């Protein structure tokens, strides 16, 4: 999952490409490079490390030219170093190519081409593709024809952009499995992995579908299939403004996105709560309600943080709608040959809408006859476009690699879905009204928790040197324990595990001693007494306890070393509140450990490869 950008127009390409790369850096940041057509030659400059390293290199030798491509990498094949960084060139140096995805049959292609005399200089899968294009290009095909011929032999996924010094007015882009967007400006085109690299140039975009390519000239773009059939593509408008992808005075995107949650939770409910009827409406799935209400079986599938939200969705829907729900790791579901009953409905949950495993799980469920609905944040993303219907989070762009606001919006949307379906089943109007009011009160409660960030910072100062953490929760707060542990792992590199509190006795309790911080989500709910016994079990082994508790619970102070309070709410809504202190705790611990919270090592925001 890399970030790719291409530019053709009248302006100097380098500043546009570098700015584009910076906007896409959250997609991969272990090495970067550019290729510019300059004085009829293709000049390639690449560096290992962050884009700032590439910028330094470029500043030493200016690269004039108004046709170019650029890439920021998340290595899949070949160590993240200067040689393996993109763009890759062919033997003649006439072609340059950037790629996001995996060429699965690259080894076979490489062997054939080496037998034909091609010289390979990198360990990457991508290099095989540029040499394959070269093979056709040198046999009288133009760039368009050569790219199509080569792609017809490729297995795997790709978003590519290719340029040639022999065709100074042409840029070729093609997509299969990895996202690619064409930005249409005034006499210029910006091609990128997502709209964040395009928005400062134009809001007019077209999203390429699988097996589509774009032949981009200086004043015209032709979109067609790899089989050379022209496609009449609609132009869409980007739905947000540039400031949405700025830090707005915060030190990090992650902190900005944590602090945005009172607003984003409100945005997730806007126009979707019907207070007088004590119910909700979700326009995007209004035509699917019948199939949802009578579905014998509901599946929720996702990865990472979105999978944790799905777990909470399972608890909610089973408690209030009384429909059987199964939560599936998308990466397992796609290869497990799952049993899909007739009339089953699957929700795929994805912030980016581009996660390869979730996309594949969706295709597998569709193949087996399930109705597939999406819960996504990124408008126009592949999952949003390919699902039968769906619900947008309206959380705005999430740039920080560690997902925060998307999680609380996902759980909020799942609460709205639960209310909508439950009111069509056995839930009465007065209980419905109570739930509507409780959901409406969430933004204020979240704002109150965020005001307390200094206390959470102080607690982080007491624990940031720890090497291990254990997170415990019960019921609705078990997935919150998993999510809290994931946040800490992702950005502070501390080993952390989330566990159902009662499971602790069956093994993890062996880890507990005076060096083991244990975060326990112990809000006042139907299983409060049970969780306080678990706290006692930890205390008995001298574990250090950070408790997430309900305001007014003075008792818990006697049991825990540190307590972070959240306002009361309905039990099934508590995850939307109890996760906030855990996001901040992870953030402050990572800062104290001098970690790069927005671009943690080895991670990327959108996992577009298997
Ligand atoms: C969460 O902080 C991570 N970035 C990661 O686990 C993420 O949730 C996962 O890759 C799924 O992404 P998606 O919601 O965009 O599909």
């Amino acid at each position: 999952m890399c970030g790719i950008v291409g530019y053709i127009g009248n302006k100097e390409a380098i500043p546009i490409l570098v700015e584009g790369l910076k906007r896409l850096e959250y997609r991969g940041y272990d090495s970067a490079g550019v290729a510019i057509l300059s004085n009829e030659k293709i000049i390639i400059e690449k560096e290992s490390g962050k884009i700032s390293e590439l910028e330094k290199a470029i500043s030493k030798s200016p690269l004039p030219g108004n046709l170019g491509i650029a890439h920021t990498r998340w290595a899949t094949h070949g160590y993240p170093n200067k040689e393996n960084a993109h763009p890759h060139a062919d033997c003649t140096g006439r072609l340059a190519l950037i790629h996001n995805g995996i060429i699965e049959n690259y080894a076979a292609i490489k062997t054939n081409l080496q037998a034909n005399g091609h010289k390979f200089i990198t360990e990457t899968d991508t290099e095989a593709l540029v040499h394959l294009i070269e093979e056709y290009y040198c046999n009288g095909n133009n760039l368009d024809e050569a790219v199509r011929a080569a792609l017809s032999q490729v297995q795997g996924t790709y978003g590519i952009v290719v340029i040639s010094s022999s065709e100074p007015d042409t840029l070729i882009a093609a997509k299969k499995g990895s996202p690619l967007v064409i930005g249409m400006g005034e006499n210029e085109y910006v091609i990128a992995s997502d709209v964040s690299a395009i928005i400062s140039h134009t809001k007019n975009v077209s999203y390429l579908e699988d097996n589509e390519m774009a032949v981009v000239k200086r004043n015209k773009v032709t979109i067609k299939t790899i089989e050379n059939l022209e496609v009449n593509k609609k132009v869409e408008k980007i739905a947000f403004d540039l400031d949405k992808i700025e830090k707005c005075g915060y030190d990090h995107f992650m902190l900005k996105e944590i602090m945005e949650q009172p607003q984003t939770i409100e945005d997730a409910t806007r126009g979707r709560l019907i207070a007088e009827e004590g119910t909700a409406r979700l326009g995007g799935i209004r035509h699917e309600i019948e199939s949802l209400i009578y579905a014998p079986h509901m599946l929720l599938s996702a990865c990472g943080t979105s999978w944790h939200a799905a777990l909470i969705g399972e608890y909610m829907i089973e408690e209030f709608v009384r429909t059987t729900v199964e939560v599936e790791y998308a990466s397992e579901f796609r290869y497990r040959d799952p049993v899909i009953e007739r009339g089953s409905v699957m929700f795929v949950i994805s912030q980016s809408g581009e996660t390869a495993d979730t996309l594949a799980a969706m295709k597998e469920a569709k193949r087996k006859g399930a109705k597939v609905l999406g819960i996504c944040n990124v408008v126009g993303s592949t999952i949003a476009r390919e699902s039968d219907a769906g619900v947008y989070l309206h959380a705005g762009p999430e740039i920080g690699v560690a997902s925060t606001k998307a999680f609380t919006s996902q759980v909020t949307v799942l609460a709205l879905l639960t209310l909508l379906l439950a009111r069509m089943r056995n839930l009465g109007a007065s209980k419905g009204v109570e739930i509507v009011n409780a959901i409406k009160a969430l933004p204020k409660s979240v704002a109150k928790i965020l005001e307390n960030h200094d206390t959470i910072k102080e607690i982080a100062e007491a624990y940031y040197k720890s090497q291990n953490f254990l997170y415990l929760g019960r019921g609705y707060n078990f997935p919150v324990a998993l999510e809290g542990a994931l946040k800490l792992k992702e950005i502070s590199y501390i080993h952390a595990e989330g566990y159902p509190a009662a499971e602790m006795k069956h093994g993890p309790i062996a880890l507990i001693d005076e060096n083991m911080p244990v975060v326990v989500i112990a809000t006042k709910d139907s299983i409060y007494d049970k969780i306080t016994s678990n706290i006692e079990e930890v205390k008995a082994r001298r574990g250090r306890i950070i408790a997430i508790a309900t305001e007014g619970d003075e008792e818990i102070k006697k049991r825990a070393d540190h307590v972070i309070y959240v306002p009361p709410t309905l039990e099934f809504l508590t995850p939307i509140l109890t996760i906030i202190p855990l996001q901040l705790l992870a953030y402050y611990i990572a800062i104290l450990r001098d970690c790069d919270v927005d671009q943690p090592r080895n991670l990327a925001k959108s996992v577009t490869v298997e």
Side-chain angles (χ1 to χ4, degrees):
M1 42 260 169
C2 309
I4 65 178
V5 197
Y7 176 78
I8 181 166
N10 309 324
K11 301 191 188 102
E12 275 306 309
I14 280 286
I16 294 171
L17 294 171
V18 171
E19 188 235 346
L21 282 185
K22 285 184 183 164
R23 296 262 180 236
L24 296 175
E25 196 165 17
Y26 65 93
R27 303 178 63 88
Y29 32 84
D30 59 38
S31 52
V34 293
I36 296 288
L37 181 63
S38 203
N39 306 326
E40 294 166 16
K41 269 190 165 345
I42 291 201
I43 314 289
I44 294 181
E45 188 76 64
K46 35 192 190 174
E47 279 300 330
S48 65
K50 297 267 171 107
I51 291 162
S52 48
E53 297 306 315
L54 177 67
E55 258 188 309
K56 276 190 225 135
I58 292 171
S59 63
K60 291 195 196 101
S61 51
L63 296 170
N66 48 33
L67 171 65
I69 56 178
H71 183 278
T72 179
R73 185 172 185 233
W74 189 89
T76 58
H77 295 70
Y79 190 72
N81 59 22
K82 192 169 174 172
E83 287 66 43
N84 291 331
H86 299 210
H88 292 298
D90 67 328
C91 298
T92 65
R94 208 163 45 130
L95 296 173
L97 175 139
I98 49 176
H99 168 226
N100 171 24
I102 292 181
I103 309 291
E104 285 165 11
N105 59 339
Y106 81 99
I109 294 170
K110 186 172 178 176
T111 311
N112 293 343
L113 292 169
Q114 283 172 321
N116 289 3
H118 287 260
K119 295 274 172 290
F120 282 70
I121 57 173
T122 80
E123 303 157 294
T124 67
D125 53 324
T126 304
E127 195 185 3
L129 181 52
V130 72
H131 285 281
L132 186 59
I133 295 169
E134 175 193 2
E135 188 73 6
Y136 289 99
Y137 204 36
C138 298
N139 293 322
N141 293 290
N142 66 20
L143 190 58
D144 171 356
E145 292 153 347
V147 170
R148 278 189 287 108
L151 291 179
S152 66
Q153 292 188 37
V154 160
Q155 281 149 27
T157 60
Y158 56 79
I160 60 166
V161 187
V162 193
I163 58 174
S164 158
S165 56
S166 311
E167 296 182 43
D169 300 322
T170 305
L171 180 153
I172 304 272
K175 173 211 190 296
K176 185 175 169 223
S178 303
L180 208 52
V181 191
I182 313 289
M184 301 160 187
E186 294 293 314
N187 300 320
E188 63 178 10
Y189 296 92
V190 183
I191 291 86
S193 301
D194 72 45
V195 292
S196 58
I198 293 173
I199 188 171
S200 54
H201 308 287
T202 175
K203 282 199 164 190
N204 302 322
V205 294
S206 281
Y207 296 88
L208 288 189
E209 302 292 351
D210 280 356
N211 301 312
E212 286 182 355
M213 63 186 286
V215 179
V216 189
K217 301 287 181 183
R218 290 188 181 281
N219 54 6
K220 185 171 175 286
V221 56
T222 309
I223 297 181
K224 55 184 170 178
T225 66
I226 306 293
E227 296 76 28
N228 207 19
L229 300 171
E230 258 201 57
V231 178
N232 193 0
K233 203 86 186 160
K234 73 173 190 250
V235 177
E236 302 178 49
K237 272 246 179 281
I238 298 175
F240 58 85
D241 298 320
L242 189 57
D243 70 331
K244 279 281 177 211
I245 51 177
E246 305 285 3
K247 283 189 192 141
C248 304
Y250 287 98
D251 294 344
H252 299 98
F253 281 109
M254 184 180 179
L255 184 61
K256 175 199 171 204
E257 288 152 11
I258 291 173
M259 292 303 181
E260 276 180 339
Q261 290 177 102
Q263 188 57 50
T264 50
I265 292 167
E266 182 142 354
D267 294 343
T269 62
R270 181 165 293 107
R272 293 173 168 173
L273 286 170
I274 311 173
E276 57 285 4
E277 295 170 31
T279 190
R281 73 170 146 242
L282 296 169
I285 57 170
R286 66 187 176 285
H287 302 305
E288 310 300 337
I289 298 301
E290 283 290 306
S291 53
L292 276 170
I293 277 291
Y294 300 109
H297 189 199
M298 214 185 277
L299 294 143
L300 305 180
S301 188
C303 301
T305 288
S306 299
W307 185 80
H308 294 150
L311 274 180
I312 297 169
E314 175 186 32
Y315 282 68
M316 288 176 171
I317 294 167
E318 292 208 344
E319 176 178 354
F320 291 95
V321 186
R322 312 308 291 157
T323 295
T324 312
V325 175
E326 245 186 278
V327 175
E328 299 276 355
Y329 271 121
S331 53
E332 288 298 313
F333 180 83
R334 61 181 298 185
Y335 290 117
R336 184 166 67 74
D337 194 13
V339 177
I340 303 273
E341 283 173 56
R342 204 174 157 68
S344 289
V345 174
M346 173 188 261
F347 272 97
V348 284
I349 305 176
S350 174
Q351 187 287 127
S352 61
E354 302 294 352
T355 302
D357 284 322
T358 309
L359 201 51
M362 177 171 96
K363 290 183 174 156
E364 183 64 14
K366 266 191 170 183
R367 193 176 293 117
K368 288 192 158 62
K371 167 103 45 197
V372 176
L373 308 177
I375 296 178
C376 288
N377 190 36
V378 176
V379 175
S381 60
T382 307
I383 289 177
R385 291 198 317 275
E386 297 192 7
S387 48
D388 297 313
V391 183
Y392 279 125
L393 302 181
H394 300 307
E398 189 176 66
I399 311 284
V401 169
S403 184
T404 52
K405 63 177 181 175
F407 176 73
T408 48
S409 293
Q410 286 163 344
V411 178
T412 303
V413 163
L414 287 162
L416 295 176
L417 174 69
T418 300
L419 176 61
L420 164 64
L421 298 178
R423 286 287 286 120
M424 297 175 77
R425 281 281 183 88
N426 320 315
L427 190 77
S430 58
K431 182 69 186 171
V433 169
E434 184 195 347
I435 292 174
V436 167
N437 293 336
I439 293 175
K440 280 188 170 170
L442 289 171
K444 269 213 181 62
S445 297
V446 170
K448 196 165 179 209
I449 300 166
L450 293 171
E451 278 156 24
N452 191 19
H453 59 85
D454 282 341
T455 310
I456 299 169
K457 194 170 178 186
E458 282 159 28
I459 295 173
E461 279 152 9
Y463 292 91
Y464 77 97
K465 291 194 180 119
S466 307
Q467 291 313 317
N468 299 285
F469 262 73
L470 192 58
Y471 288 72
L472 301 175
R474 277 178 178 260
Y476 284 100
N477 285 307
F478 155 51
V480 175
L482 294 175
E483 178 57 12
L486 178 63
K487 290 288 90 88
L488 190 69
K489 278 183 267 203
E490 282 188 275
I491 61 172
S492 75
Y493 320 140
I494 293 175
H495 171 244
E497 283 194 72
Y499 252 83
E503 270 300 298
M504 176 185 61
K505 296 189 287 299
H506 307 288
I509 196 165
L511 298 169
I512 297 177
D513 60 18
E514 58 281 1
N515 303 316
M516 173 62 89
V518 182
V519 177
V520 186
I521 301 130
T523 44
K524 286 264 179 170
D525 57 23
S526 60
I527 30 188
Y528 178 72
D529 297 342
K530 306 296 176 201
I531 197 90
T532 49
S533 323
N534 299 129
I535 290 178
E536 292 305 334
E537 289 153 6
V538 172
K539 278 315 281 174
R541 279 102 189 145
R542 306 201 188 302
R544 300 165 69 202
I545 293 176
I546 302 167
I548 309 300
T550 306
E551 272 171 10
D553 180 352
E554 293 306 311
E555 259 317 286
I556 201 143
K557 275 190 186 146
K558 299 186 194 120
R559 296 189 167 98
D561 300 84
H562 292 93
V563 181
I564 304 169
Y565 287 105
V566 299
T569 185
L570 299 178
E571 183 164 343
F572 84 106
L573 297 174
T574 49
I576 297 169
L577 302 184
T578 52
I579 191 57
I580 307 289
L582 305 188
Q583 294 168 344
L584 282 171
L585 184 68
Y587 173 79
Y588 288 125
I589 287 177
I591 296 292
L592 288 161
R593 292 167 73 97
D594 210 15
C595 300
D596 184 338
V597 293
D598 277 345
Q599 293 164 357
R601 71 184 185 200
N602 303 343
L603 285 177
K605 182 66 186 170
S606 170
V607 185
T608 53
V609 292
E610 263 198 68

